[in-house]
């Protein structure tokens, strides 16, 4: 019988506990509902000299799509929650969604709290086929990591999307979860434990994110739901208004959406990301400008001389 993804704080927490109790890394594995030629789990070795085995979900394509969407997930980092979007993606796009180091099927077992180390480890995701362009998406806690990745590899990334950015300050629901998790840190499952540790130590690292944003020369889109009770939307608005970038960042407030845009209809998150991909300009045949030739007897100087002679 097909199982549905858990939703809400309680559902996600119970799914994490259930997965830990059964020895699974997936949290109600929705990717199993699709054939391997639609959604496929892969593994790769981390970059930056780290020997970790990193897990991810991808949408296989017979030939490379013009655009590759790379998603750096939040905390807890579960690619399984993006499986419906991967399956609904048009054939002209491909997507890969990662389980960040320390979560789900990715190594290491312990938390990797330094966002700079995470950016190094996830750099192999930015490998593209010849002629292919990459849209890099950072979701929640992954927004800061994606920004560092884009700054470190400017020639590989054509655009950046900061989706539901977590920027060091928790909303009411996330604050309750972090406070509760901190008290029982030793007994909660690994993914929840690592998420609490990450969130608790992110604020002091945001200077790296702001410095990286100022270096970016590609379009940056900041998308945020207006009912987000995990990451306050006001902080995302302030980031856009106070950060001096080479190109103005585009901010979009999404009405009626909470922190988990990918938890809604797959078409919604796909449409939001598609709007961040520049549309190709229509082909127009432009004839080259020919040099202007003036005949001596028609030049203004010749006319003036002719007029003087006749007078």
């Amino acid at each position: 019988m097909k199982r549905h993804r858990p939703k809400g704080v309680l559902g996600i927490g119970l799914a994490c506990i259930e997965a830990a109790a059964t020895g699974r890394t997936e949290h109600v594995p929705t990717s199993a509902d699709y054939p391997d030629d639609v959604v496929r789990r892969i593994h790769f070795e981390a970059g930056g000299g780290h020997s970790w085995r990193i897990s991810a979900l991808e949408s296989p394509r017979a030939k490379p799509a013009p655009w590759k969407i790379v998603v750096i997930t939040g905390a807890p980092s579960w690619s399984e929650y993006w499986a419906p979007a991967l399956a609904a993606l048009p054939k002209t796009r491909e997507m890969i969604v990662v389980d960040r180091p320390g979560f789900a099927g990715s190594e290491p077992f312990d938390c990797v709290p330094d966002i700079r180390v995470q950016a190094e480890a996830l750099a192999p995701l930015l490998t593209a086929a010849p002629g292919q362009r990459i849209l890099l998406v950072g979701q929640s806690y992954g927004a800061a990591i994606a920004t560092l990745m884009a700054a470190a590899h400017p020639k590989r990334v054509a655009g950046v999307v900061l989706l539901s950015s977590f920027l060091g300050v928790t909303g009411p629901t996330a604050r309750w979860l972090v406070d509760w998790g901190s008290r029982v840190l030793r007994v909660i499952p690994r993914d929840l434990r690592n998420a609490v540790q990450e969130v608790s130590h992110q604020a002091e690292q945001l200077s790296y994110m702001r410095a990286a944003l100022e270096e970016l020369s590609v379009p940056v889109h900041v998308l945020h739901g207006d009912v987000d009770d995990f990451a306050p939307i006001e902080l995302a608005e302030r980031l856009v208004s106070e950060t001096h970038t080479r190109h103005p960042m585009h901010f979009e407030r999404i009405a009626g959406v909470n922190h988990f845009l990918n938890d809604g209809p797959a078409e919604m998150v796909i449409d939001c990301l598609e709007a961040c991909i520049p549309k190709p300009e229509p082909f127009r045949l432009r004839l080259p400008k020919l040099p202007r030739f003036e005949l001596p007897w028609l030049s203004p100087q010749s006319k003036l001389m002719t007029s003087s002679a006749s007078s």
Side-chain angles (χ1 to χ4, degrees):
M1 182 176 65
K2 180 178 178 179
R3 300 182 65 187
H4 298 283
R5 292 177 300 129
K7 295 187 177 182
V9 175
L10 181 60
I12 292 175
L14 291 176
C16 189
I17 294 172
E18 178 196 7
T22 57
R24 290 190 292 107
T25 57
E26 293 83 5
H27 307 269
V28 183
T30 55
S31 63
D33 296 332
Y34 307 100
D36 282 348
D37 59 348
V38 175
V39 178
R40 178 175 62 192
R41 181 160 294 282
I42 65 167
H43 297 85
F44 62 91
E45 184 174 340
H50 306 287
S51 58
W52 304 324
R53 187 171 185 256
I54 304 298
S55 176
L57 286 181
E58 69 172 5
S59 54
R61 295 290 183 263
K63 61 179 181 178
W67 281 87
K68 176 182 177 181
I69 302 173
V70 177
V71 180
I72 311 300
T73 45
S77 176
W78 298 335
S79 60
E80 289 290 339
Y81 282 71
W82 282 81
L86 285 157
L89 206 65
K91 294 298 183 183
T92 55
R93 304 287 182 256
E94 62 183 82
M95 180 183 288
I96 183 168
V97 185
V98 71
D99 295 325
R100 291 190 293 102
F103 294 97
S106 292
E107 297 175 342
F109 183 83
D110 296 326
C111 176
V112 182
D114 194 325
I115 62 174
R116 296 169 296 180
V117 174
Q118 293 235 12
E120 291 175 353
L122 299 178
L125 291 168
L126 301 182
T127 301
Q132 189 178 55
R133 307 180 74 186
I134 290 180
L135 181 70
L136 180 57
V137 181
Q139 179 192 23
S140 188
Y141 188 91
I145 297 171
T147 303
L148 297 184
M149 293 171 63
H153 306 279
K155 294 183 179 181
R156 298 189 188 182
V157 178
V160 175
V161 179
L162 307 182
L163 178 64
S164 306
S165 312
F166 177 73
L167 302 170
V169 177
T170 53
T173 302
R175 189 178 309 117
W176 179 85
L177 286 173
V178 173
D179 290 344
W180 173 81
S182 299
R183 297 172 185 172
V184 292
L185 200 61
R186 295 184 179 181
V187 297
I188 57 178
R190 168 235 196 185
D191 284 6
L192 291 182
R193 180 172 65 251
N194 290 350
V196 169
Q197 291 178 307
E198 280 190 342
V199 171
S200 300
H201 296 90
Q202 191 219 38
E204 62 225 39
Q205 304 181 69
L206 288 180
S207 58
Y208 306 138
M209 177 189 185
R210 294 190 181 94
L213 278 173
E214 294 178 356
E215 296 178 10
L216 296 183
S217 58
V218 297
V220 179
H221 301 262
V222 181
L223 312 182
H224 215 103
D226 64 356
V227 291
D228 191 334
D229 59 348
F230 274 69
I233 190 174
E234 295 79 12
L235 291 183
E237 292 177 315
R238 189 185 308 168
L239 177 73
V240 173
S241 63
E242 295 180 353
T243 305
H244 301 286
T245 55
R246 298 185 182 183
H247 298 283
M249 290 192 287
H250 173 74
F251 181 82
E252 182 177 352
R253 175 187 290 258
I254 308 176
V257 170
N258 61 19
H259 191 63
F260 305 100
L261 177 63
N262 61 302
D263 207 24
E267 292 73 20
M268 178 182 294
V269 67
I270 291 174
D271 289 345
C272 287
L273 297 182
E274 187 67 27
C276 300
I277 295 177
K279 301 298 182 289
E281 296 183 0
F283 175 76
R284 295 179 181 177
L285 181 62
R286 293 183 175 89
L287 296 176
K289 290 185 178 180
L290 298 176
R292 295 180 61 184
F293 295 99
E294 291 187 354
L295 298 176
W297 56 84
L298 294 180
S299 65
Q301 185 178 3
S302 299
K303 292 180 181 179
L304 181 62
M305 294 176 61
T306 302
S307 176
S308 300
S310 59
S311 61

